[in-house]
Amino acid sequence: MDFLTLKTQAAALAGMAAAACSALFGPWNAAMATLMIFMLADYVSGVVSAALFHNSDKSENGALSSKAGWQGLCKKAMMLLCVLVAWRLDLLSGSGGLIKDGVILALTLNEAVSILENAGRMGVPVPEPLRQAVDLLGKKSGSK
């Protein structure tokens, strides 16, 4: 098999995957891209916090845990399922993406809080107003 054939097949597979994602989650927009970036940043910062700093709150000793990693991935999958449900509700109601964008905004803000928590665990100086907001949100949700 030559390079051009392989390249064409890879491009076709990528195009099919993109079409399937668009059909499931609606058109790709800045909100969806931001959510995906924040989800990746949260997961990576959690892994780094556990692997290098050994101060994760997801395991007894603060180190990496395959169970915690799997739970994190399942959480991300559930978030995407919520986006899918919101998109389908948009289609059903004719709201033009309003429900999906609202769900994405809420999930993105949640990911931002988690990224800030991970940064704090790694010793990154988090500005006091942001730290207070994270603490307040943690208390309201009962997660701290």
Side-chain angles (χ1 to χ4, degrees):
M1 181 178 302
D2 65 1
F3 176 73
L4 286 178
T5 304
L6 186 60
K7 181 180 173 184
T8 302
Q9 289 175 346
L13 284 174
M16 288 188 294
C21 285
S22 182
L24 284 174
F25 297 105
W28 189 266
N29 59 14
M32 190 68 177
T34 302
L35 176 61
M36 297 302 287
I37 291 167
F38 277 45
M39 288 172 67
L40 179 64
D42 178 44
Y43 192 80
V44 169
S45 65
V47 168
V48 169
S49 175
L52 299 180
F53 295 89
H54 302 286
N55 59 4
S56 170
D57 62 351
K58 307 287 193 246
S59 65
E60 287 183 29
N61 59 2
L64 275 177
S65 162
S66 59
K67 180 180 178 184
W70 179 245
Q71 287 174 337
L73 290 174
C74 288
K75 175 184 164 191
K76 306 296 182 211
M78 189 63 196
M79 292 168 68
L80 291 175
L81 183 63
C82 289
V83 172
L84 181 138
V85 167
W87 173 243
R88 299 311 299 180
L89 287 172
D90 276 330
L91 291 176
L92 188 63
S93 67
S95 63
L98 188 62
I99 300 169
K100 174 185 151 189
D101 286 346
V103 167
I104 288 174
L105 178 62
L107 294 172
T108 301
L109 290 173
N110 185 59
E111 292 296 284
V113 168
S114 184
I115 293 166
L116 284 173
E117 289 173 342
N118 290 336
R121 283 189 200 99
M122 289 188 257
V124 174
V126 177
E128 191 56 33
L130 288 177
R131 185 183 309 274
Q132 289 173 355
V134 168
D135 289 342
L136 179 65
L137 289 171
K139 288 175 188 171
K140 284 188 175 184
S141 69
S143 64
K144 285 248 171 183

